[in-house]
């Protein structure tokens, strides 16, 4: 999924913060025990998510797509003292592993893990979010974006994963999944309520900042 060479990826890892022992364990066990382990964020992307979270210093984070909890714990590193991260997932088969991973973390009391259809569970949360990370079923990226937009504070971040889709977004003849990614990317590019850029980290992170409001208009 990485768009850069293995040698360059290793160099990047050499110059970023190390993983904690718990994150190393989650990475190892995910690769050993879980189908499609490539869905895990991994060391470098995890440090990027941690860095962005620490810059925002969020009081409330929403994550759509938990998988085995690696990215959840990276994002939690930036929370305020009273902060909470809500992480939503539909895969009940991974529940025991995820809860075990969270229980071993210093952030366990700050994590609210909710199982169910995110398109429904988002509406049950009475919160305003400082940071949202969308990393679930890609065909619904636009749906999730629309659901959370009015729930994120002006100046807050929405981060969306896998927006370069292993480089397939460059193809002229795109399959259905790639077209879904391109449609979402075009939607964000045309949204003048936000500032946006894509970081070519791993499989592409769309970083989207909601504009601040001035006199009932976005500015």
């Amino acid at each position: 999924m990485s768009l850069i060479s293995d040698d360059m990826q290793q160099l990047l890892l050499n110059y970023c913060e190390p993983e904690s022992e718990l994150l190393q364990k989650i990475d190892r066990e995910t690769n050993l025990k879980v189908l499609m382990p490539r869905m895990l964020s991994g060391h470098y992307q995890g440090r990027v998510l941690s860095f962005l979270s620490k810059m925002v210093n969020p009081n409330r984070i929403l994550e759509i797509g938990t998988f085995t909890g690696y990215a959840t714990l990276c994002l939690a590193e930036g929370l305020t003292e009273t902060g909470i991260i809500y992480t939503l997932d539909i895969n009940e088969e991974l529940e025991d592993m995820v809860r075990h991973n969270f229980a071993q973390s210093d952030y366990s009391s700050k994590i609210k893990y909710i199982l169910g259809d995110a398109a429904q569970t988002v509406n049950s949360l009475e919160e305003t979010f400082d940071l949202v990370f969308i990393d679930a079923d890609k065909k619904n990226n636009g749906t999730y974006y629309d659901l959370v937009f009015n729930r994120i504070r002006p100046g807050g971040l929405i981060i969306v994963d896998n927006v370069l889709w292993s480089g397939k977004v460059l193809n002229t003849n795109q399959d259905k999944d790639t077209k879904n990614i391109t449609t979402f990317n075009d939607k964000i590019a045309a949204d003048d309520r936000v500032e946006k850029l894509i970081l070519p980290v791993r499989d592409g992170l769309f970083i989207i900042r909601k504009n601040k409001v001035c006199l009932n208009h976005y500015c």
Side-chain angles (χ1 to χ4, degrees), residues 58 107 129:
Y107 306 104
F129 296 100

Side-chain angles (χ1 to χ4, degrees), residues 86-143:
Y86 294 86
T87 182
L88 315 180
D89 205 280
I90 200 168
N91 191 344
E92 297 180 355
E93 294 182 1
L94 292 176
E95 180 179 5
D96 289 344
M97 173 184 278
V98 172
R99 291 196 184 280
H100 178 69
N101 290 340
F102 290 162
Q104 297 179 77
S105 168
D106 294 339
Y107 306 104
S108 58
S109 63
K110 296 175 177 283
I111 300 171
K112 307 296 183 185
Y113 174 47
I114 302 172
L115 286 169
D117 184 347
Q120 298 176 18
T121 53
V122 165
N123 290 324
S124 70
L125 303 177
E126 300 289 335
E127 298 281 11
T128 298
F129 296 100
D130 307 291
L131 191 158
V132 174
F133 181 47
I134 300 174
D135 186 18
D137 52 321
K138 308 308 171 185
K139 67 180 182 294
N140 282 317
N141 278 349
T143 299

Side-chain angles (χ1 to χ4, degrees), residues 3-193:
L3 299 174
I4 62 175
S5 69
D6 290 343
D7 288 343
M8 181 60 73
Q9 184 66 36
Q10 186 56 55
L11 183 143
L12 294 175
L13 291 175
N14 291 342
Y15 286 99
C16 77
E17 294 297 307
E19 290 176 297
S20 68
E21 289 185 10
L22 176 57
L23 290 175
Q24 290 179 27
K25 179 181 178 183
I26 293 172
D27 190 324
R28 183 169 57 253
E29 292 193 348
T30 299
N31 278 279
L32 288 173
K33 300 177 181 179
V34 180
L35 292 174
M36 299 180 71
R38 66 183 182 277
M39 291 171 58
L40 182 135
S41 290
H43 183 181
Y44 186 74
Q45 181 170 305
R47 291 304 88 206
V48 172
L49 294 175
S50 171
F51 205 107
L52 291 170
S53 182
K54 289 172 181 175
M55 291 175 70
V56 174
N57 193 211
N59 190 50
R60 293 293 184 270
I61 300 175
L62 173 63
E63 178 185 39
I64 301 177
T66 311
F67 195 43
T68 55
Y70 188 103
T72 315
L73 296 178
C74 294
L75 291 166
E77 293 175 20
L79 283 167
T80 64
E81 185 175 345
T82 58
I84 294 172
I85 179 168
Y86 294 86
T87 182
L88 315 180
D89 205 280
I90 200 168
N91 191 344
E92 297 180 355
E93 294 182 1
L94 292 176
E95 180 179 5
D96 289 344
M97 173 184 278
V98 172
R99 291 196 184 280
H100 178 69
N101 290 340
F102 290 162
Q104 297 179 77
S105 168
D106 294 339
Y107 306 104
S108 58
S109 63
K110 296 175 177 283
I111 300 171
K112 307 296 183 185
Y113 174 47
I114 302 172
L115 286 169
D117 184 347
Q120 298 176 18
T121 53
V122 165
N123 290 324
S124 70
L125 303 177
E126 300 289 335
E127 298 281 11
T128 298
F129 296 100
D130 307 291
L131 191 158
V132 174
F133 181 47
I134 300 174
D135 186 18
D137 52 321
K138 308 308 171 185
K139 67 180 182 294
N140 282 317
N141 278 349
T143 299
Y144 298 139
Y145 178 82
D146 292 338
L147 278 172
V148 305
F149 193 84
N150 289 331
R151 297 170 180 269
I152 191 163
R153 66 165 173 82
L157 291 185
I158 302 172
I159 304 171
V160 186
D161 199 8
N162 303 111
V163 295
L164 296 180
W165 209 232
S166 300
K168 294 179 182 178
V169 291
L170 291 172
N171 295 345
T172 302
N173 297 317
Q174 298 183 351
D175 58 34
K176 183 177 179 180
D177 291 338
T178 308
K179 286 180 180 178
N180 286 334
I181 298 292
T182 298
T183 297
F184 173 75
N185 292 346
D186 290 344
K187 174 187 176 77
I188 302 306
D191 192 343
D192 61 5
R193 301 170 301 171

